[in-house]
Amino acid sequence: MSAAPDSTVDRVYSQLRSMAIGYEFKPGEKLNEVALAKRLEVSRTPLREALNRLGIEGLLRFQPGKGFFCRDLDVHEIFHLYELRKVVEVAGARLSIGRACDADIHKLLDFLDTTGPEPGERSVAELVGLDEAFHEGLLAMSGNTEMLRVLHNVNARIRFVRWIDMRLGDRRSTQLEHRHILESLLARDEAACTALLEKHIDRRLDQITSAIREGYAQIYMGIQAQAAA
């Protein structure tokens, strides 16, 4: 069987990734590959390649002999991903203290000014996208592309829970915390920068449990979160 063209695999991968992140498949649901191939208008070869990529990334679950399944909304898995996110971002901030140039820090401060403290007419998905852009921009100043790759994957895997957080949260307070983190980075104050970032990212197990409970309600009541960008 010949390999599928990269462009086709990338398209299918992108579509399935958005569906998996937004839980368009219900938690634990077995994916029907025949139905998916028909829906996405592709053969089984590019579909399987895309599914394998998503399985490797942890966005789908594969069981040998059974096929691909939607990942569960697992409280402890999400908690561990938040712990990983905090470790990566704080380590990145320590590197950025010595590596970030003032111009790049000011550019991220300008980004905060441009996007503003108020949500405006933006959707929850757009607001989470802006928040991810800030944090990935902050880590990018460390110069470590592998750490950035890890954060990108973690962000995708916790995005559904962050949609819930964003819907219930206070953007003005969040944006102010972002600004204080950048100001401490600009001042090269490692202790303050890392302490602010840790507090900003920290999520308790009960907070995650509450968000996941809300997420299940949305999924099973048919109030789907907006598709991932």
Side-chain angles (χ1 to χ4, degrees):
M1 184 179 292
S2 59
D6 289 344
S7 59
T8 302
V9 175
D10 289 342
R11 174 181 67 81
V12 176
Y13 164 80
S14 180
Q15 289 175 292
L16 286 173
R17 186 175 185 273
S18 293
M19 294 164 73
I21 288 171
Y23 281 91
E24 290 188 36
F25 313 110
K26 289 183 172 61
E29 177 185 353
K30 186 180 188 300
L31 273 60
N32 184 325
E33 293 185 33
V34 174
L36 276 175
K38 184 177 180 180
R39 175 178 175 180
L40 300 176
E41 299 181 331
V42 292
S43 68
R44 295 286 293 279
T45 300
L47 178 69
R48 179 52 70 98
E49 289 183 41
L51 290 171
N52 282 327
R53 283 172 63 179
L54 292 166
I56 291 168
E57 292 176 4
L59 289 167
L60 292 175
R61 181 163 48 86
F62 177 70
Q63 291 186 18
K66 295 184 178 180
F68 288 90
F69 294 78
C70 178
R71 64 203 170 106
D72 294 315
L73 264 173
D74 182 86
V75 172
H76 289 93
E77 178 183 319
I78 299 295
F79 181 70
H80 292 158
L81 287 168
Y82 267 99
E83 286 186 325
L84 175 58
R85 178 190 169 196
K86 183 171 71 171
V87 167
V88 171
E89 289 204 48
V90 170
R94 290 197 173 97
L95 292 175
S96 296
I97 291 290
R99 295 178 181 177
C101 65
D102 287 359
D104 286 339
I105 300 172
H106 281 294
K107 190 180 298 183
L108 205 51
L109 282 165
D110 290 342
F111 172 78
L112 293 181
D113 290 336
T114 301
T115 55
E118 301 297 339
E121 299 299 317
R122 300 183 184 101
S123 68
V124 170
E126 289 171 326
L127 292 172
V128 170
L130 291 175
D131 196 74
E132 288 180 3
F134 170 81
H135 284 276
E136 291 179 9
L138 181 65
L139 183 57
M141 287 189 276
S142 72
N144 191 309
T145 55
E146 293 306 315
M147 291 171 74
L148 190 58
R149 190 194 310 272
V150 170
L151 181 61
H152 187 67
N153 175 261
V154 169
N155 279 339
R157 294 168 68 187
I158 65 173
R159 190 170 298 154
F160 186 80
V161 171
R162 297 195 65 227
W163 281 334
I164 307 298
D165 277 348
M166 187 64 71
R167 209 164 52 77
L168 303 176
D170 177 1
R171 177 171 167 80
R172 178 178 287 276
S173 175
T174 297
Q175 288 290 81
L176 186 59
E177 289 174 8
H178 286 172
R179 186 169 297 279
H180 289 161
I181 290 164
L182 285 177
E183 288 170 348
S184 63
L185 177 59
L186 188 61
R188 311 297 166 174
D189 187 339
E190 180 178 322
C193 184
T194 54
L196 287 166
L197 191 55
E198 281 191 346
K199 184 179 179 182
H200 177 73
I201 296 171
D202 258 338
R203 288 293 181 278
R204 299 190 313 270
L205 194 60
D206 64 308
Q207 291 174 318
I208 292 171
T209 301
S210 177
I212 286 178
R213 189 179 298 119
E214 175 73 15
Y216 269 112
Q218 289 195 18
I219 291 167
Y220 286 101
M221 287 172 62
I223 310 169
Q224 288 292 340
Q226 298 208 21

